[in-house]
Amino acid sequence: MRSWGRIAAGVAIICAFATAAGAQQRGPRGPQGPLSVGITTLERHQVPVTVPMTGQAAARSEAQIRPLVNGLVTEILYDSGSEVAAGDPLFRIDPRTYQADLDSAAAQLESARAALPAAEATSERYQRLAGTGVTQADLDQAQVTLLQARAAISQAEAAEETARINLDRTTITSPIDGVAGIPDVSIGDLVTSGQSDALTTVTTLDPIFVDLSESSARMLQFRARIASGDMEAGDQLQIALTLENGEVYDGTGTVRAISSTVSTTTGTVRIRVEFGNPQQLILPGMFVRAAVTLGTANAFLVPQLAADLQSDGSLRVWTVGEDGHAHQVTLSSIGNTPTAWIVPQGLEDGTKLIVDNLDNLTEGAEIKTQPVTISDRGVITAVDG
């Protein structure tokens, strides 16, 4: 029993020494004082409301070139990738058979026209001699023969026109202005009228369409904000494109159509925008990003580095209260710039927003403020004075 008592006494002495040493190492704990923070003063002003969208380029018009007659391809009359105008020849099919058909139709037309004067003369003579040796049946037959001769001419003219159309179709031309693609046939290939495989494709690249997608839910939100006065719609949408390589496209688009239906698979509405494309930098099928300015709002620009974005889309910021202490505020934004959130409500002119040392703040914390500026790159710099 006495041995256990000695052990307990030794442990107590060791703990006492350890406590004293720790206290000596930490030293006396004094007050930390107010927390130093950087602040910027917010003022309400007109701010463009720009939202990001994604889209895909589509040709303004595209024609798949197919033959309308049968035959062998004898010539390819264009250079791949060259610009062609409507009516420019692209392919030639062996025309000899169709030339022969036209010659035959022309001969039949001449024969039909040659028979007409005799039929007309017979009909006129029988009319004069009717009742003097020419029966009514003879007269009727002469008139029928005349009508048949005229009908034969019309039929022969139609046959000649058909033969001429088929002959013209042996030279396949472009129906639109555009850029002709790589031919999918070679000289000597047999093609048939109405075949499913196209000989080539002609695509109009200037101007070009870009189809943007926007969720129907967000469009309803913007309409509600315009109705409530938080936003003012512009006369027209201003759209800036960024290409796949990150290059900002030099040109603004014009909205040509907004879909009247919502996609059942993506829940988005399609917005078709037309861009000039003289250098053909935008090609059909290319994916692009767009910054679409919907209008303006009389709002505050809250630096993004000073706001904590929540899962529900709200923003939490720290402001300097009238008591000089830090207070947390929850806000809602209607859009953003590259460096700031656009906030129309929940703040007042002259609000002092805390922009740094945020992780160390607590509600009602005593603070010491320092005016700062924020560069476009997010660099915070103290303001003297």
Side-chain angles (χ1 to χ4, degrees):
M1 293 294 293
R2 283 182 291 181
S3 62
W4 282 107
R6 288 196 298 270
I7 293 173
V11 170
I13 293 172
I14 293 172
C15 291
F17 274 112
T19 302
Q24 184 176 6
Q25 183 178 2
R26 289 193 299 268
R29 185 173 184 180
Q32 296 179 354
L35 182 66
S36 180
V37 297
I39 63 167
T40 184
T41 302
L42 300 180
E43 299 291 341
R44 184 187 294 273
H45 56 279
Q46 289 297 124
V47 180
V49 179
T50 301
V51 296
M53 295 185 190
T54 58
Q56 189 173 18
R60 189 174 186 273
S61 57
E62 184 176 82
Q64 293 186 336
I65 308 301
R66 292 184 174 86
L68 295 176
V69 292
N70 305 328
L72 297 176
V73 176
T74 58
E75 290 182 83
I76 298 176
L77 304 171
Y78 74 98
D79 294 326
S80 300
S82 63
E83 293 188 2
V84 296
D88 284 354
L90 302 176
F91 300 91
R92 181 164 289 122
I93 296 174
D94 187 354
R96 291 176 295 177
T97 300
Y98 299 99
Q99 182 64 59
D101 291 342
L102 177 60
D103 294 342
S104 176
Q108 291 177 0
L109 177 59
E110 290 182 3
S111 176
R113 287 173 175 170
L116 180 61
E120 289 176 338
T122 301
S123 177
E124 292 175 359
R125 185 171 63 254
Y126 279 18
Q127 286 179 351
R128 291 195 304 270
L129 297 176
T132 58
V134 175
T135 65
Q136 184 62 40
D138 294 335
L139 178 58
D140 292 342
Q141 182 59 48
Q143 291 177 339
V144 168
T145 301
L146 175 60
L147 294 175
Q148 289 175 340
R150 291 172 177 169
I153 292 175
S154 298
Q155 185 176 14
E157 288 175 342
E160 184 189 42
E161 182 63 21
T162 300
R164 180 174 287 105
I165 291 173
N166 287 334
L167 178 61
D168 291 342
R169 286 175 173 173
T170 60
T171 300
I172 301 174
T173 60
S174 174
I176 61 174
D177 297 342
V179 176
I182 299 173
D184 290 324
V185 293
S186 301
I187 294 175
D189 286 351
L190 176 64
V191 295
T192 57
S193 174
Q195 65 182 40
S196 59
D197 295 332
L199 306 184
T200 192
T201 301
V202 177
T203 306
T204 301
L205 297 179
D206 183 24
I208 195 167
F209 289 141
V210 172
D211 292 334
L212 303 176
S213 297
E214 174 62 303
S215 72
S216 57
R218 192 155 70 162
M219 291 190 71
L220 290 175
Q221 291 175 357
F222 283 118
R223 288 186 178 182
R225 287 164 181 162
I226 291 172
S228 66
D230 286 346
M231 276 182 56
E232 181 179 345
D235 295 335
Q236 61 182 7
L237 299 182
Q238 297 180 8
I239 303 169
L241 283 188
T242 301
L243 304 181
E244 291 177 324
N245 62 354
E247 177 185 351
V248 177
Y249 186 70
D250 184 16
T252 56
T254 303
V255 176
R256 291 304 183 194
I258 298 177
S259 174
S260 58
T261 59
V262 178
S263 170
T264 57
T265 56
T266 62
T268 58
V269 175
R270 188 173 64 170
I271 303 172
R272 171 155 284 186
V273 186
E274 183 180 285
F275 284 86
N277 192 30
Q279 297 180 345
Q280 300 177 9
L281 294 178
I282 306 174
L283 299 177
M286 181 181 292
F287 288 94
V288 297
R289 290 179 288 117
V292 182
T293 301
L294 302 176
T296 59
N298 189 17
F300 301 91
L301 286 178
V302 175
Q304 292 182 4
L305 58 81
D308 186 12
L309 180 63
Q310 304 299 300
S311 59
D312 61 356
S314 64
L315 305 174
R316 288 184 182 175
V317 300
W318 291 93
T319 62
V320 180
E322 294 181 357
D323 57 1
H325 292 184
H327 297 282
Q328 195 172 64
V329 179
T330 300
L331 305 171
S332 295
S333 73
I334 60 173
N336 63 279
T337 69
T339 59
W341 298 104
I342 302 172
V343 177
Q345 304 293 339
L347 297 170
E348 296 181 357
D349 284 338
T351 296
K352 293 180 172 57
L353 181 73
I354 301 175
V355 299
D356 66 355
N357 221 351
L358 303 177
D359 293 338
N360 297 320
L361 288 173
T362 58
E363 180 64 28
E366 185 180 359
I367 55 176
K368 178 182 179 181
T369 61
Q370 168 65 51
V372 299
T373 59
I374 304 175
S375 71
D376 294 339
R377 296 179 176 272
V379 177
I380 300 175
T381 305
V383 178
D384 294 336

